[in-house]
Every structure is written in structure tokens, then in C-alpha cells.
């Protein structure tokens, strides 16, 4: 079973920066994509950014130019650098990891519990 854990959230003022991290752990697996989602109270979960094992990235239009996703394949970790944060970025940021479990040869799709990002105006 692959576990996913996010870290690095916090409280920041508008215009500030934060970096959140997502680490996948377990044994005998490989990842294909790692994605960040966010969910604000009363709103639907939305994709923020994603990165594949080959390094291809995608971003929500609302964060383009402000957020940067990266990954360290050796550490099975993805990072989301968030600059010029706005109050509307306030949300629970969740990480989704997809890949292959080599013990079962099955695909997996695992979620973390999230890390809270709060941006004060």
C-alpha cells in the first residue's frame, strides 16, 4: 500500500510565499503522476497542478505564473512552490499520487489528508 503525506502548509499574508511538499512511501512501487488539488469550504475540489514521471507539467489557469510544481523522483516527492499568494488561494491542499504497485502489478491511486494553506488579506 502506498501512503501519501503532505506538509508545509501554514498561514501567510497576501503576496507571500509557501512551499508545500508531498511524499509517497511504501515498497515496490513506481509513480506515473503526482498532482496537487485544493478544496476550499463550500467549493468543489479542483486541480492546482500536476507533473508526470517524465516532467511534463500542467496548471490551473488561476495559478499559472505564480505556482511551480516540481518533483524529486529519487525521493518520490513533489513540491509546490506558491508565490504571490492571494486570499482566494486559501484551501486544503491535497496530493494525489498514481502509479504501479509492483507487488500486485496493479495501478494505484492514493490521496493524502492534505495540508492547510491560509492567506490573509
Amino acid at each position: 500500500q502506498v501512503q501519501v503525506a503532505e506538509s508545509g502548509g501554514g498561514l501567510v499574508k497576501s503576496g507571500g510565499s509557501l512551499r508545500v511538499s508531498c511524499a509517497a512511501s511504501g515498497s515496490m512501487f513506481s509513480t506515473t503522476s503526482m498532482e496537487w488539488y485544493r478544496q476550499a469550504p463550500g467549493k468543489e475540489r479542483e486541480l492546482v497542478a500536476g507533473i508526470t514521471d517524465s516532467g511534463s507539467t500542467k496548471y490551473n489557469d488561476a495559478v499559472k505564473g505564480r505556482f511551480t510544481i516540481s518533483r524529486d523522483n529519487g525521493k518520490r516527492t513533489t513540491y509546490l512552490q506558491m508565490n504571490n499568494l492571494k486570499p482566494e488561494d486559501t484551501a486544503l491542499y491535497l496530493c494525489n499520487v498514481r502509479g504501479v504497485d509492483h507487488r500486485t502489478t496493479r495501478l494505484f491511486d492514493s490521496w493524502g489528508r492534505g495540508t492547510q494553506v491560509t492567506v490573509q488579506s
Side-chain angles (χ1 to χ4, degrees):
Q1 185 175 1
V2 177
Q3 289 83 41
V4 176
E6 303 94 338
S7 61
L11 176 65
V12 65
K13 292 185 178 180
S14 182
S17 298
L18 276 177
R19 188 178 81 156
V20 291
S21 302
C22 166
S25 62
S27 62
M28 298 182 67
F29 73 94
S30 57
T31 62
T32 53
S33 68
M34 304 180 84
E35 297 180 335
W36 284 98
Y37 288 76
R38 65 187 181 187
Q39 187 160 22
K43 294 187 177 181
E44 293 187 356
R45 186 174 296 184
E46 64 176 359
L47 176 70
V48 177
I51 188 166
T52 67
D53 59 342
S54 62
S56 297
T57 60
K58 57 182 177 182
Y59 294 92
N60 185 311
D61 286 345
V63 307
K64 281 181 181 177
R66 300 188 297 122
F67 290 12
T68 302
I69 190 170
S70 61
R71 65 186 284 170
D72 182 330
N73 287 334
K75 295 182 179 179
R76 295 171 175 172
T77 299
T78 183
Y79 307 96
L80 185 66
Q81 176 67 42
M82 304 181 288
N83 298 327
N84 190 21
L85 282 159
K86 303 176 181 181
E88 51 264 42
D89 294 318
T90 294
L92 182 68
Y93 283 70
L94 302 113
C95 183
N96 175 253
V97 179
R98 298 190 184 97
V100 179
D101 185 331
H102 295 295
R103 297 170 303 166
T104 63
T105 69
R106 292 182 178 178
L107 301 176
F108 69 85
D109 184 336
S110 297
W111 288 85
R113 294 185 176 182
T115 184
Q116 179 68 37
V117 172
T118 303
V119 185
Q120 286 184 329
S121 57

